[in-house]
Amino acid sequence: MRIVVTIGGSILIKDHGHEKFKDYAEVLKNLKAKNELFLVVGGGKTAREYIEIARNIGASESFCDDLGIDVTRLNAKLLIMAIGDAAYPSVPLNFAEAMKFSTSGRIIVMGGTEPAHSTDAVGTILAEFVGADILINATSVDGLYDRDPEKFEDATIFREVRPTEMMEILSKKEIKAGTYEFFDLTAIQMIKRSRIKTIIVNGNDPKNLIRVIKGEKIGTIILPE
Ligand code: UTP
């Protein structure tokens, strides 16, 4: 299978720890035996910290986005290092480059591409570009909830959702650098148009990638419409 995985930066780096990089590297090397893998890594807290400093200096939102992209690429480099020889040694700067590097047969790891969206959107565009069989979004919660499960105890998870329903939920959210929360609109529009099978799972356990690929029903499935 050709698989695109987006991993939130806040999953990979917690308090500057390195363990998650190693855990993910093991799982990815394992999956590489039978699959073609493309990873898109987020910026997490480090990106938000840099963006806040730049914004306080007076930078524009798109400058802040660009700074965020730099951080996602730093995180991509760390994951490449953790994977070792099984990963292509450079971070692709765009989709055509990702495709080109993939002819090496190695795991491709990239970060952001251009301002005004999140790495979730990058993952959806990449999935369409390379014709992925599946897109897995590894996030910090078990799936998509009707409200923030970290703030509301009675939040309920959607096991299945359609892109249009997601757009309704997310249209009320803010669009600013560093705050493209949980699947921005670009990402959902891309899923809608490309009809790529997309699954949101808890990325705190990298083995969830293996479970999804085996067909276990975990997380939230975004159904085509
Ligand atoms: P992320 O995708 O990591 O955003 O990109 P996030 O929502 O903070 O994700 P987590 O916390 O890692 O899960 C970090 C920032 O980089 C900019 C945006 O400002 C984004 O909020 N960015 C990233 C872009 O502008 N374009 C991209 O292609 C990627």
Side-chain angles (χ1 to χ4, degrees), residues 121-137:
V122 173
T124 58
I125 302 167
L126 182 64
E128 188 185 71
F129 201 94
V130 302
D133 298 296
I134 184 169
L135 167 64
I136 305 172
N137 183 263

Side-chain angles (χ1 to χ4, degrees), residues 6-224:
T6 59
I7 311 176
S10 36
I11 302 269
L12 279 174
I13 302 193
K14 272 211 179 100
D15 306 320
H16 298 282
H18 64 278
E19 287 304 329
K20 271 286 177 315
F21 284 95
K22 290 173 101 181
D23 296 348
Y24 262 99
E26 279 319 300
V27 167
L28 293 168
K29 281 191 275 186
N30 198 308
L31 286 172
K32 185 188 173 281
K34 288 192 182 152
N35 303 284
E36 214 180 322
L37 297 172
F38 293 81
L39 279 296
V40 182
V41 175
K45 194 169 159 233
T46 317
R48 279 188 290 276
E49 283 169 357
Y50 269 79
I51 286 168
E52 198 191 326
I53 295 168
R55 194 179 278 136
N56 289 339
I57 297 171
S60 67
E61 282 305 303
S62 41
F63 183 97
C64 292
D65 280 333
D66 208 42
L67 204 56
I69 294 168
D70 287 339
V71 177
T72 64
R73 289 176 178 161
L74 282 177
N75 288 345
K77 269 190 166 181
L78 285 175
L79 186 58
I80 287 173
M81 221 263 300
I83 298 170
D85 285 347
Y88 190 82
S90 306
V91 177
L93 304 181
N94 56 53
F95 305 104
E97 231 170 50
M99 191 78 156
K100 190 170 145 197
F101 293 172
S102 74
T103 58
S104 65
R106 301 203 205 179
I107 301 171
I108 303 303
V109 189
M110 67 187 290
T113 51
E114 62 284 296
H117 56 62
S118 67
T119 45
D120 288 340
V122 173
T124 58
I125 302 167
L126 182 64
E128 188 185 71
F129 201 94
V130 302
D133 298 296
I134 184 169
L135 167 64
I136 305 172
N137 183 263
T139 186
S140 57
V141 288
D142 287 340
L144 179 72
Y145 287 79
D146 59 348
R147 60 188 111 170
D148 187 346
E150 273 148 27
K151 290 188 194 138
F152 300 92
E153 261 182 38
D154 60 343
T156 42
I157 191 167
F158 293 96
R159 286 296 167 200
E160 291 180 350
V161 69
R162 306 249 173 211
T164 311
E165 286 173 75
M166 286 183 81
M167 279 181 203
E168 274 165 33
I169 301 167
L170 295 168
S171 60
K172 293 155 201 145
K173 304 235 167 171
E174 225 185 345
I175 301 179
K176 270 173 102 179
T179 59
Y180 298 107
E181 285 188 49
F182 217 85
F183 269 93
D184 57 45
L185 287 175
T186 309
I188 302 163
Q189 274 158 351
M190 286 302 299
I191 292 171
K192 190 174 174 188
R193 99 166 183 193
S194 64
R195 302 175 62 82
I196 282 172
K197 183 175 173 187
T198 305
I199 302 175
I200 305 168
V201 292
N202 195 324
N204 288 312
D205 181 359
K207 291 203 175 82
N208 277 340
L209 299 186
I210 300 173
R211 295 187 183 104
V212 169
I213 292 160
K214 274 191 187 155
E216 276 183 43
K217 298 227 174 316
I218 54 168
T220 300
I221 301 181
I222 308 176
L223 298 168

